[in-house]
Amino acid sequence: MNIYDFKNLTDSIHASLSVNLSPTAVTIIEFIIIASAFMILFTLLGLVLVYAERKIAAFFQLRLGPMRVGKWGIAQTAADAIKLILKEPLVTKNADKFLFNLAPFIIILSTFLALGAMPFAKGLHALDFDIGILYLTAVSSFGVIGILIAGWSSDNKYSLIGAMRSGAQVVSYELSVGLSLLTVVILAGSLQFSEIIASQETGWWIFRGHIPAMIAFIIFMIAGTAETGRGPFDLPEAESELTAGYHTEYSGLKFAFFFLAEFVNMFIIAGIGATVFLGGWMPFHIGNWEGFNKIMDFIPSLFWFFGKVAFLIFLMMWFKWTFPRLRIDQLLRLEWKYLLPINLVNILVMAFIVLMGWHF
Amino acid sequence: MEEIATNKNTGKPLETQEYFINMGPQHPSTHGVLRLLLTLEGEIIHNVEPHLGYIHRSIEKMCEKDSYTQIIHLTDRMDYLSSHMNNEAVSLAVEQGLEVEIPDRVKVIRTIISELTRLSSHQLWWGVFGMDLGAITSFLYGFRDREMIIDIFEETCGARLTMNYNVPGGLMFDIHPNFQKGTKAFVTHFKKKLPEYDQLLTENVIFELRTKGVGVLSKEDAISFGVTGPTGRASGFSNDIRKHNPYSAYTQVDFNEVLREEGDSYARYKVRIQEMWESMSIIEQLIDNIPEGDYKVKTKAVIKLPKGEYYQKVETARGEFGVYIISEGGKSPYRLKFRSPGFSNLSALNRMAKGAKIADLVVIMSTLDLVIPDIDR
Amino acid sequence: MMMEQEQLKERILSIVPEAEFEEAGGYLNATFPFAKLHNLAKNLRESEDTLFDFLFCLTGVDWPDHMTVVYHLKSTIHGHSIVLKAKIDSREKPEIDTVSDIWQTAEFHEREVFDLFGIKFRNHPDLRRIFLDDDWVGYPLRKDYVDKVNIIDL
């Protein structure tokens, strides 16, 4: 494989820094570089995804979407961001002020932690744990604590109902997300992202894992959408029922954090889905068709990853702009009575397939 | 054995408590300034108590000082989505008192515009209903098609919503030369687009889950609560004024009263969708047969109704709208009562919503198709 | 079976002998003292041949020396309609029996009449003002209601 390995770049940076600095200083500087890179990525993702969401929604709804700020409204989200930063941060009178201010940071923290383990391209990978998948599912569900705190501390019953719904929802769908990922872990034989990607060199797991992998992928997409709290599973913030759910009382920058976190969470779910089922940055390879695989390798790995993520995000937006919202009992019934049993059987079938060596 | 959570200090089992929540007057799904005081246990509704009057203007009191022509203008401001039908009701009541014979041309035009109004109201309702369910896209689909009707109205009488097209004795102006062309173009367009509505919402699994069996209203309750219009017809209560007490040109046209038996939100939804087809059929029957003639009968500048009582009801998009005029012979009524469909329909809300969830309440309210100025008057 | 006006008259006279009749607004109007209302309403609602199950309009009227509560009734099975007018002699302390136990829609309509006319409905389950604030003084739809601030006399 002649894909450009970003390890060359990171190694050269490391080497040039090490020339006249102590190892501790080098580590600190590298931390700062990585942190600022993620900050920039986070902001960019927010800007791009909000713009994309509005444009895609407009496309579904027979309208143009933002068109005024900049060419085709490109600068619209930047303008919105400035507006949100300048807005007054209101705190309700009887709110628990410490928790109220803490909640958005917990949510942002969880998205940052999850983003850190994302393999963006070959060698472009900040944290590559040997338990990567476990780590990711753990930190991404950590955000629900922020939502619960936000709902509780706002001193608003709508917020509280929203937070409670969110708690029930995320805890339930966490199971399906975890189990559907485990289905592929059985195939790949590893929890480490780099190894899962490497194991898909001869083909993505969604194609090689027969029907169980397909089922796992569909369940993952449903459960993942539910975990991010986006339509049709946007019950925690169902605007026609709970005005704005858990973030009703937030304004200005703190509201922007919730808003951004939703979009970045969507990116994370799409990123995990792309990595585990669709090969991450791995180009589209078919078995041992050398020529075909070589042509595919010409497309840089960064494009492969972001392309797949964009496709999955588009799917999630498609769900949101066409489906009505579920009711809370229907939502929980879907998880506990359908998705979870299907998932458990699916894992068994997959384990059997792997045991017999029937997968490609 | 089931373990019961206990209070650490007292050792007694923890109890769940009912709590109250104010839905409205500023809330996205009350569609106006309606305030509902909900008694909840968790998400389950124990009681719904509507608090009204946020836009009560006492139109009935104002009417006691206004002339009959002025009263017509006030009726626009009640059910603004059925403004033409409201105008028509007052005009018909006054004409009944004056005992004037209305030209056929007026009757037909009034009927066509009534049906267009009903279509536009149902389109808006459909869009908003989707939005209440969380399917925001339907909102824009509904508005796209409604826009065509509103343009026809604008061309006809200059106003898009509060039309004031009726005067006692006929219409304010004759129809615009483009009226027939525009209306036919709309009907052709909408016949293609209405199946799209079904594709987007009706056949969706989640939509069926959310509406079927939600907010069931029995036929007995519908009659007892006076629930009229599509809401009542979905419970099997045959109450279409256009059939039972036909007015204007409804005697000349052939249409079906849409009835369903289930009485749930899905039935109410289907009745309205089916009514749109019926309305289009009525328009098609009349649009090419507008008789020639005057658009207005000459009435006196100051209309005085003879002493007596007059009651006129019409079928608006929400149900039975009644005008009850008691005249003492003056230029203003002694007492005027508007029987608004929304007010009676709202009275059944508590019955329908008991035991449902908050999300269901939104669906029920939306399928009742409440317009708050109509309720508060 | 749809009942003719004469038959309805007879029926009402058999229950309330002092009832007076006139025809107005296309309906048969029966005027009678308010004390007889509940009995008559219940009878008309429950008798097999009258079966007035649909109360489509309920309102009050303030006359110079008395008040009336007007009930527009229709039978959805037989198709006949009637207007009942219960006459209340006292304008100072008008009281009448509720019909909300017979037609559930009356609960809201009676609250409206109470709010705007000040007619008290006995045995009403929840008689409060419906549109105006609880501390509002006066009953706006009465003819002698004066509001110098909000009503502009021309």
Side-chain angles (χ1 to χ4, degrees), chain B residues 49-50 52-53 56 60-61 64-65 221 223-226 228 237 309-311 313 320 324 326 328 334-335 337 339 343-344 347 351 375-377, chain C residues 24-25 27 29 53-54 56-64 70 72 76 85 103-105 108-109 112 117 128 130-132 140-143 153:
Chain B
E49 197 185 299
L52 307 173
H56 178 67
E60 288 170 17
K61 183 81 178 173
E64 289 176 12
K65 287 202 158 53
D221 277 341
I223 296 172
S224 181
F225 277 112
T228 51
F237 172 25
E309 296 183 8
Y310 310 96
Y311 194 94
K313 44 188 174 183
E320 178 177 332
Y324 178 43
I326 299 176
E328 288 285 89
Y334 182 77
R335 164 93 178 101
K337 155 87 181 168
R339 189 265 185 217
F343 189 66
S344 300
S347 66
R351 173 66 52 91
I375 295 166
D376 276 0
R377 280 161 290 152
Chain C
Y27 298 107
N29 290 14
D53 51 358
F54 179 29
F56 61 88
C57 187
L58 192 165
T59 188
V61 185
D62 182 24
W63 296 100
V70 185
H72 284 73
T76 57
K85 289 180 175 171
W103 299 282
Q104 294 174 84
T105 184
F108 264 46
H109 283 92
E112 187 192 341
F117 286 95
R128 287 177 295 125
I130 193 164
F131 292 135
L132 305 177
L141 278 184
R142 287 197 182 195
K143 290 286 174 187
D153 274 307

Coordinates of all heavy atoms in Angstrom, one line a residue, chain B residues 49-50 52-53 56 60-61 64-65 221 223-226 228 237 309-311 313 320 324 326 328 334-335 337 339 343-344 347 351 375-377, chain C residues 24-25 27 29 53-54 56-64 70 72 76 85 103-105 108-109 112 117 128 130-132 140-143 153:
Chain B
E49 N -56.3 21.6 32.2 CA -57.3 22.7 32.5 C -56.9 23.9 31.6 O -55.9 24.5 31.8 CB -57.2 23.0 33.9 CG -58.4 23.8 34.4 CD -58.1 24.2 35.9 OE1 -58.0 23.4 36.7 OE2 -58.1 25.4 36.1
P50 N -57.7 24.1 30.6 CA -57.4 25.3 29.7 C -57.7 26.6 30.4 O -58.8 26.7 31.1 CB -58.4 25.1 28.5 CG -59.0 23.8 28.7 CD -58.9 23.4 30.1
L52 N -58.2 30.4 29.5 CA -58.4 31.2 28.3 C -58.4 32.7 28.5 O -58.2 33.1 29.7 CB -59.8 30.8 27.6 CG -60.0 29.3 27.4 CD1 -61.5 29.1 27.0 CD2 -59.1 28.8 26.4
G53 N -58.6 33.4 27.5 CA -58.8 34.9 27.7 C -57.6 35.7 27.4 O -57.7 36.9 27.6
H56 N -58.8 37.7 24.6 CA -60.3 38.0 24.6 C -60.5 39.5 24.4 O -60.0 40.3 25.1 CB -60.9 37.6 26.0 CG -62.3 37.9 26.1 ND1 -63.2 37.2 25.3 CD2 -63.0 38.7 26.8 CE1 -64.4 37.7 25.6 NE2 -64.3 38.6 26.5
E60 N -68.2 40.3 21.0 CA -69.6 40.4 21.1 C -70.1 41.7 21.6 O -71.1 42.3 21.2 CB -70.1 39.2 21.9 CG -70.0 37.9 21.2 CD -70.3 36.7 22.1 OE1 -70.9 36.9 23.2 OE2 -69.9 35.6 21.7
K61 N -69.3 42.3 22.6 CA -69.7 43.6 23.1 C -69.5 44.7 22.1 O -70.3 45.6 22.0 CB -68.9 43.9 24.4 CG -69.2 45.1 25.1 CD -70.4 45.0 26.0 CE -70.7 46.3 26.8 NZ -71.9 46.2 27.5
E64 N -72.3 45.1 19.7 CA -73.5 45.8 20.1 C -73.5 47.3 19.8 O -74.5 48.0 20.0 CB -73.7 45.6 21.6 CG -74.1 44.1 21.9 CD -74.2 43.8 23.4 OE1 -74.2 44.8 24.2 OE2 -74.3 42.6 23.7
K65 N -72.3 47.8 19.4 CA -72.2 49.2 19.1 C -72.0 49.4 17.6 O -72.0 50.5 17.1 CB -71.1 49.8 19.9 CG -71.4 50.0 21.3 CD -70.5 51.1 21.9 CE -71.1 51.7 23.2 NZ -71.4 50.8 24.2
D221 N -69.6 11.2 23.3 CA -68.9 12.3 23.9 C -68.8 13.5 22.9 O -68.9 14.6 23.2 CB -67.5 11.9 24.3 CG -67.5 11.3 25.7 OD1 -68.5 11.5 26.4 OD2 -66.5 10.6 26.0
I223 N -70.9 14.3 20.6 CA -72.1 15.0 20.5 C -72.4 15.8 21.8 O -72.7 17.0 21.8 CB -73.3 14.0 20.3 CG1 -73.1 13.4 18.9 CG2 -74.6 14.8 20.4 CD1 -74.1 12.3 18.6
S224 N -72.1 15.2 22.9 CA -72.3 15.8 24.2 C -71.4 17.0 24.4 O -71.9 18.0 25.0 CB -72.1 14.8 25.3 OG -72.4 15.4 26.6
F225 N -70.2 17.0 23.9 CA -69.3 18.1 24.0 C -69.5 19.1 22.9 O -68.8 20.1 22.9 CB -67.8 17.7 24.0 CG -67.3 17.2 25.4 CD1 -67.0 15.9 25.6 CD2 -67.2 18.1 26.4 CE1 -66.5 15.5 26.8 CE2 -66.7 17.7 27.6 CZ -66.4 16.4 27.9
G226 N -70.4 18.8 22.0 CA -70.6 19.7 20.9 C -69.4 19.8 20.0 O -69.2 20.9 19.4
T228 N -67.7 19.6 16.7 CA -68.2 19.6 15.4 C -67.1 19.6 14.4 O -65.9 19.6 14.8 CB -69.1 20.8 15.1 OG1 -68.4 22.0 15.5 CG2 -70.4 20.7 15.9
F237 N -69.8 11.5 14.2 CA -70.9 12.4 14.4 C -71.1 13.2 13.1 O -70.3 14.1 12.8 CB -70.5 13.3 15.6 CG -71.4 14.5 15.9 CD1 -72.8 14.4 15.5 CD2 -71.0 15.6 16.5 CE1 -73.6 15.5 15.7 CE2 -71.8 16.7 16.8 CZ -73.1 16.6 16.4
E309 N -85.2 37.7 15.9 CA -84.0 36.9 16.2 C -83.6 36.2 14.9 O -84.4 35.7 14.2 CB -84.2 35.9 17.3 CG -84.5 36.6 18.6 CD -84.7 35.6 19.7 OE1 -84.5 34.4 19.5 OE2 -85.1 36.0 20.8
Y310 N -82.3 36.1 14.7 CA -81.8 35.4 13.5 C -80.7 34.5 13.9 O -79.8 34.8 14.7 CB -81.3 36.4 12.5 CG -82.4 37.5 12.2 CD1 -82.3 38.7 12.9 CD2 -83.4 37.3 11.4 CE1 -83.3 39.6 12.8 CE2 -84.4 38.2 11.2 CZ -84.3 39.4 11.9 OH -85.3 40.3 11.8
Y311 N -80.7 33.3 13.4 CA -79.6 32.3 13.7 C -79.1 31.8 12.4 O -79.9 31.3 11.6 CB -80.1 31.2 14.6 CG -78.9 30.4 15.2 CD1 -78.3 30.8 16.4 CD2 -78.3 29.4 14.5 CE1 -77.2 30.1 16.9 CE2 -77.2 28.7 15.0 CZ -76.7 29.1 16.2 OH -75.6 28.4 16.7
K313 N -76.0 29.3 10.7 CA -74.8 28.6 10.9 C -74.1 28.2 9.6 O -74.8 28.0 8.6 CB -75.0 27.3 11.8 CG -76.2 26.5 11.5 CD -76.4 25.5 12.5 CE -77.7 24.7 12.4 NZ -77.9 23.7 13.4
E320 N -68.9 23.9 13.2 CA -70.1 24.7 13.1 C -69.9 26.1 13.7 O -69.6 26.2 14.9 CB -71.2 24.0 13.8 CG -72.5 24.7 13.8 CD -73.6 23.9 14.5 OE1 -73.5 22.7 14.5 OE2 -74.5 24.5 15.0
Y324 N -75.8 34.3 16.2 CA -77.1 34.5 16.8 C -77.3 36.0 17.0 O -76.7 36.6 17.8 CB -77.2 33.7 18.1 CG -78.5 33.8 18.9 CD1 -79.7 33.7 18.2 CD2 -78.4 33.9 20.3 CE1 -80.9 33.8 19.0 CE2 -79.6 34.0 21.0 CZ -80.8 33.9 20.3 OH -82.0 34.0 21.1
I326 N -79.9 39.1 18.0 CA -81.1 39.6 18.5 C -81.2 41.0 18.1 O -80.4 41.8 18.6 CB -81.3 39.4 20.0 CG1 -81.1 37.9 20.4 CG2 -82.6 39.9 20.5 CD1 -81.1 37.6 21.8
E328 N -83.3 44.7 17.9 CA -84.5 45.5 18.4 C -84.9 46.5 17.3 O -85.6 47.4 17.6 CB -84.1 46.2 19.7 CG -83.9 45.3 20.9 CD -85.2 44.8 21.4 OE1 -85.7 43.8 21.0 OE2 -85.8 45.5 22.3
Y334 N -79.1 44.1 19.3 CA -79.2 44.2 20.7 C -78.2 43.3 21.4 O -77.6 43.6 22.4 CB -80.6 43.9 21.1 CG -80.9 44.1 22.6 CD1 -81.0 45.3 23.2 CD2 -80.9 43.0 23.5 CE1 -81.2 45.5 24.5 CE2 -81.1 43.1 24.8 CZ -81.2 44.4 25.4 OH -81.4 44.6 26.7
R335 N -78.1 42.1 20.9 CA -77.2 41.1 21.4 C -76.8 40.2 20.2 O -77.5 39.9 19.3 CB -77.9 40.2 22.4 CG -77.2 38.9 22.8 CD -76.3 39.1 24.0 NE -75.7 37.9 24.4 CZ -74.4 37.5 24.1 NH1 -73.7 38.4 23.4 NH2 -73.9 36.4 24.5
K337 N -74.3 36.8 19.4 CA -73.5 35.7 20.0 C -72.9 35.0 18.8 O -73.5 34.6 17.8 CB -74.4 34.8 20.8 CG -73.9 33.4 20.9 CD -73.0 33.2 22.1 CE -72.5 31.8 22.2 NZ -71.4 31.7 23.2
R339 N -71.2 31.5 18.0 CA -71.0 30.2 18.5 C -69.8 29.7 17.7 O -69.8 29.4 16.5 CB -72.2 29.3 18.1 CG -72.2 27.9 18.7 CD -71.6 26.9 17.8 NE -71.7 25.6 18.4 CZ -70.8 24.6 18.3 NH1 -69.7 24.8 17.6 NH2 -71.0 23.5 18.9
F343 N -64.3 26.7 20.6 CA -64.6 26.8 22.0 C -65.2 25.4 22.5 O -64.8 24.9 23.5 CB -65.5 27.9 22.3 CG -65.8 28.2 23.7 CD1 -64.8 28.7 24.5 CD2 -67.0 28.0 24.2 CE1 -65.0 29.0 25.8 CE2 -67.3 28.3 25.6 CZ -66.3 28.8 26.4
S344 N -66.1 24.9 21.7 CA -66.7 23.7 22.1 C -65.8 22.5 21.9 O -65.7 21.6 22.7 CB -68.0 23.4 21.2 OG -68.9 24.4 21.4
S347 N -63.5 22.1 24.7 CA -64.0 21.6 26.0 C -63.8 20.1 26.1 O -63.8 19.5 27.2 CB -65.5 22.0 26.1 OG -66.2 21.3 25.1
R351 N -61.1 15.4 28.3 CA -61.6 14.0 28.2 C -60.6 13.2 27.3 O -60.3 12.1 27.6 CB -63.0 14.0 27.6 CG -63.6 12.7 27.2 CD -63.8 11.8 28.4 NE -64.6 12.5 29.5 CZ -65.9 12.4 29.6 NH1 -66.6 11.8 28.7 NH2 -66.5 13.1 30.5
I375 N -61.4 30.9 19.8 CA -61.9 30.4 21.1 C -62.2 31.6 22.1 O -63.2 31.7 22.7 CB -60.9 29.4 21.7 CG1 -60.8 28.2 20.9 CG2 -61.3 29.1 23.2 CD1 -59.6 27.4 21.2
D376 N -61.2 32.5 22.1 CA -61.3 33.7 23.0 C -62.3 34.7 22.5 O -62.9 35.4 23.3 CB -59.9 34.3 23.2 CG -59.1 33.6 24.2 OD1 -59.7 32.6 24.8 OD2 -58.0 34.0 24.5
R377 N -62.4 34.9 21.2 CA -63.3 35.9 20.6 C -63.0 37.3 21.2 O -63.5 37.8 22.2 CB -64.7 35.6 20.8 CG -65.1 34.6 19.7 CD -66.4 33.9 20.1 NE -66.1 33.0 21.2 CZ -67.0 32.6 22.1 NH1 -68.2 33.1 22.0 NH2 -66.7 31.8 23.1
Chain C
A24 N -88.9 32.2 15.8 CA -87.9 33.2 15.5 C -86.6 32.6 15.0 O -86.2 31.5 15.5 CB -87.6 34.1 16.7
G25 N -86.0 33.2 14.0 CA -84.7 32.7 13.6 C -84.8 31.3 13.0 O -83.8 30.5 12.9
Y27 N -86.5 28.8 14.2 CA -86.6 27.7 15.2 C -87.9 28.0 16.0 O -88.3 29.2 16.1 CB -85.4 27.7 16.1 CG -84.1 27.4 15.5 CD1 -83.2 28.4 15.3 CD2 -83.9 26.1 15.0 CE1 -82.0 28.1 14.6 CE2 -82.7 25.8 14.4 CZ -81.7 26.8 14.2 OH -80.6 26.5 13.6
N29 N -89.2 28.7 19.5 CA -88.7 29.2 20.7 C -89.7 29.0 21.9 O -90.8 29.4 21.7 CB -88.4 30.7 20.7 CG -87.2 31.0 19.7 OD1 -86.8 30.1 18.9 ND2 -86.7 32.2 19.7
D53 N -79.9 15.7 21.8 CA -78.6 15.3 22.4 C -77.5 16.3 22.1 O -76.4 16.2 22.6 CB -78.2 13.9 22.0 CG -78.3 13.8 20.5 OD1 -78.7 14.7 19.8 OD2 -77.9 12.7 20.0
F54 N -77.8 17.3 21.3 CA -76.7 18.2 20.8 C -77.1 19.7 21.2 O -78.0 20.2 20.6 CB -76.5 18.1 19.3 CG -75.5 18.9 18.7 CD1 -74.4 19.3 19.4 CD2 -75.6 19.3 17.3 CE1 -73.4 20.2 18.8 CE2 -74.7 20.1 16.7 CZ -73.6 20.5 17.5
F56 N -76.0 23.1 20.7 CA -75.0 23.7 19.8 C -74.8 25.2 20.2 O -73.9 25.8 19.7 CB -75.3 23.5 18.4 CG -76.6 24.0 17.8 CD1 -76.7 25.3 17.4 CD2 -77.7 23.2 17.8 CE1 -77.9 25.8 16.9 CE2 -78.9 23.7 17.3 CZ -79.0 25.0 16.8
C57 N -75.6 25.7 21.0 CA -75.3 27.1 21.4 C -76.0 27.4 22.8 O -77.1 27.0 23.0 CB -75.9 28.1 20.4 SG -75.4 29.8 20.6
L58 N -75.2 28.0 23.6 CA -75.8 28.4 24.9 C -75.3 29.8 25.2 O -74.1 30.1 25.2 CB -75.2 27.5 26.0 CG -75.8 27.5 27.4 CD1 -75.4 26.2 28.2 CD2 -75.5 28.7 28.2
T59 N -76.2 30.7 25.5 CA -75.8 32.1 25.7 C -76.8 32.8 26.6 O -77.9 32.3 26.9 CB -75.6 32.8 24.4 OG1 -75.0 34.1 24.7 CG2 -76.9 33.1 23.7
G60 N -76.4 33.9 27.1 CA -77.3 34.7 27.9 C -77.7 36.0 27.2 O -77.0 36.4 26.3
V61 N -78.8 36.6 27.6 CA -79.2 37.9 27.0 C -79.6 38.7 28.2 O -80.3 38.3 29.1 CB -80.4 37.7 26.0 CG1 -80.7 39.1 25.4 CG2 -80.1 36.7 25.0
D62 N -79.2 40.0 28.2 CA -79.5 40.9 29.3 C -80.6 41.9 28.8 O -80.4 42.7 27.9 CB -78.2 41.7 29.7 CG -78.5 42.6 30.8 OD1 -79.5 42.3 31.6 OD2 -77.8 43.6 31.0
W63 N -81.8 41.7 29.3 CA -82.9 42.6 29.0 C -83.1 43.6 30.1 O -82.5 43.4 31.2 CB -84.2 41.8 28.8 CG -84.1 40.8 27.7 CD1 -83.9 39.5 27.7 CD2 -84.3 41.1 26.3 NE1 -83.9 38.9 26.5 CE2 -84.1 39.9 25.6 CE3 -84.5 42.2 25.5 CZ2 -84.2 39.8 24.2 CZ3 -84.6 42.1 24.2 CH2 -84.4 40.9 23.5
P64 N -83.8 44.7 29.7 CA -83.8 45.8 30.7 C -84.3 45.3 32.1 O -83.8 45.8 33.1 CB -84.8 46.8 30.1 CG -84.7 46.6 28.6 CD -84.4 45.1 28.5
V70 N -80.3 31.3 26.8 CA -80.8 30.7 25.6 C -80.1 29.4 25.3 O -78.9 29.4 25.3 CB -80.7 31.7 24.5 CG1 -81.4 31.1 23.2 CG2 -81.3 33.0 24.8
H72 N -79.8 26.5 22.4 CA -80.2 26.0 21.1 C -79.9 24.5 21.1 O -78.8 24.0 21.3 CB -79.3 26.7 20.0 CG -79.7 28.0 19.7 ND1 -79.5 29.1 20.5 CD2 -80.3 28.6 18.6 CE1 -79.9 30.2 20.0 NE2 -80.5 29.9 18.8
T76 N -79.5 14.9 17.0 CA -78.8 14.3 15.9 C -79.4 13.1 15.3 O -79.1 12.7 14.2 CB -77.3 14.0 16.3 OG1 -77.4 13.1 17.4 CG2 -76.6 15.2 16.8
K85 N -85.7 29.1 26.2 CA -85.3 30.4 26.8 C -85.7 30.4 28.2 O -86.9 30.5 28.5 CB -85.9 31.6 26.0 CG -85.3 31.8 24.7 CD -85.9 33.0 24.0 CE -85.2 33.3 22.7 NZ -86.0 34.3 21.9
W103 N -75.6 18.0 29.1 CA -74.7 18.2 28.0 C -73.4 18.7 28.5 O -73.3 19.8 29.1 CB -75.3 19.2 27.0 CG -76.6 18.9 26.4 CD1 -76.8 18.0 25.4 CD2 -77.9 19.4 26.8 NE1 -78.2 17.9 25.2 CE2 -78.8 18.7 26.0 CE3 -78.3 20.3 27.8 CZ2 -80.2 19.0 26.1 CZ3 -79.6 20.6 27.9 CH2 -80.6 19.9 27.1
Q104 N -72.3 17.9 28.2 CA -71.0 18.3 28.8 C -70.5 19.6 28.3 O -69.7 20.2 29.0 CB -70.0 17.1 28.6 CG -70.4 15.9 29.3 CD -69.6 14.7 28.9 OE1 -68.5 14.5 29.5 NE2 -70.0 13.9 28.0
T105 N -70.8 19.9 27.1 CA -70.3 21.2 26.5 C -70.8 22.4 27.3 O -70.1 23.4 27.3 CB -70.7 21.3 25.0 OG1 -70.1 22.5 24.5 CG2 -72.2 21.4 24.9
F108 N -68.3 24.6 29.8 CA -67.6 25.7 29.3 C -68.5 26.9 29.0 O -68.2 28.0 29.3 CB -66.8 25.3 28.0 CG -65.3 24.9 28.3 CD1 -65.1 24.1 29.4 CD2 -64.3 25.4 27.6 CE1 -63.8 23.7 29.6 CE2 -63.0 25.1 27.8 CZ -62.7 24.2 28.8
H109 N -69.6 26.6 28.3 CA -70.4 27.7 27.9 C -71.0 28.4 29.1 O -71.2 29.6 29.1 CB -71.5 27.2 27.0 CG -71.1 26.9 25.6 ND1 -70.6 25.7 25.2 CD2 -71.0 27.7 24.5 CE1 -70.2 25.8 23.9 NE2 -70.4 27.0 23.5
E112 N -68.7 30.7 30.5 CA -68.6 32.0 29.7 C -69.7 32.9 30.1 O -69.5 34.1 30.3 CB -68.6 31.6 28.2 CG -68.4 32.8 27.3 CD -68.7 32.6 25.9 OE1 -68.8 31.4 25.5 OE2 -68.9 33.6 25.2
F117 N -71.9 37.6 32.1 CA -73.2 38.1 32.5 C -73.4 38.1 34.0 O -74.4 38.6 34.5 CB -74.3 37.3 31.8 CG -74.5 37.6 30.4 CD1 -73.9 36.8 29.4 CD2 -75.3 38.6 30.0 CE1 -74.1 37.1 28.1 CE2 -75.5 38.9 28.6 CZ -74.9 38.1 27.7
R128 N -66.0 29.2 37.5 CA -65.0 30.3 37.6 C -65.1 31.2 36.4 O -65.7 30.7 35.4 CB -63.6 29.8 37.8 CG -63.3 29.1 39.1 CD -62.0 28.5 39.1 NE -61.8 27.4 38.2 CZ -60.9 27.4 37.3 NH1 -60.0 28.3 37.1 NH2 -60.9 26.3 36.4
I130 N -63.9 32.5 32.9 CA -63.2 31.7 31.9 C -62.3 32.6 31.1 O -61.2 32.2 30.8 CB -64.1 30.9 31.1 CG1 -63.3 29.8 30.3 CG2 -65.0 31.7 30.2 CD1 -64.2 28.7 29.7
F131 N -62.7 33.8 30.8 CA -61.9 34.7 29.9 C -61.2 35.8 30.8 O -60.0 36.0 30.6 CB -62.8 35.4 28.9 CG -63.3 34.5 27.8 CD1 -64.6 34.6 27.4 CD2 -62.5 33.5 27.2 CE1 -65.1 33.7 26.4 CE2 -63.0 32.7 26.3 CZ -64.3 32.8 25.9
L132 N -62.0 36.4 31.7 CA -61.4 37.5 32.4 C -60.7 37.0 33.6 O -60.8 35.9 34.1 CB -62.5 38.4 32.8 CG -63.4 38.9 31.7 CD1 -64.6 39.7 32.2 CD2 -62.6 39.7 30.6
P140 N -69.1 42.2 31.7 CA -69.0 43.1 30.6 C -70.2 43.1 29.6 O -70.5 44.1 29.0 CB -67.7 42.7 29.8 CG -66.9 42.0 30.9 CD -67.9 41.4 31.8
L141 N -70.8 41.9 29.5 CA -71.9 41.9 28.4 C -73.2 42.4 29.0 O -74.2 42.4 28.2 CB -72.0 40.5 27.9 CG -71.0 40.1 26.8 CD1 -71.3 38.8 26.2 CD2 -71.0 41.1 25.6
R142 N -73.3 42.8 30.2 CA -74.5 43.4 30.7 C -74.6 44.8 30.1 O -73.6 45.5 29.9 CB -74.4 43.5 32.3 CG -74.6 42.2 32.9 CD -75.0 42.4 34.4 NE -75.1 41.2 35.1 CZ -75.7 41.1 36.3 NH1 -76.2 42.2 36.9 NH2 -75.9 39.9 36.9
K143 N -75.8 45.2 30.0 CA -76.0 46.5 29.3 C -75.6 47.7 30.1 O -75.3 48.8 29.6 CB -77.5 46.7 28.9 CG -77.9 45.7 27.8 CD -77.4 46.2 26.5 CE -77.7 45.2 25.4 NZ -77.1 45.5 24.1
D153 N -66.9 55.3 23.8 CA -68.2 55.6 23.3 C -68.2 56.6 22.2 O -67.5 57.6 22.3 CB -69.1 56.1 24.5 CG -69.7 55.0 25.2 OD1 -70.3 54.1 24.6 OD2 -69.5 54.9 26.4

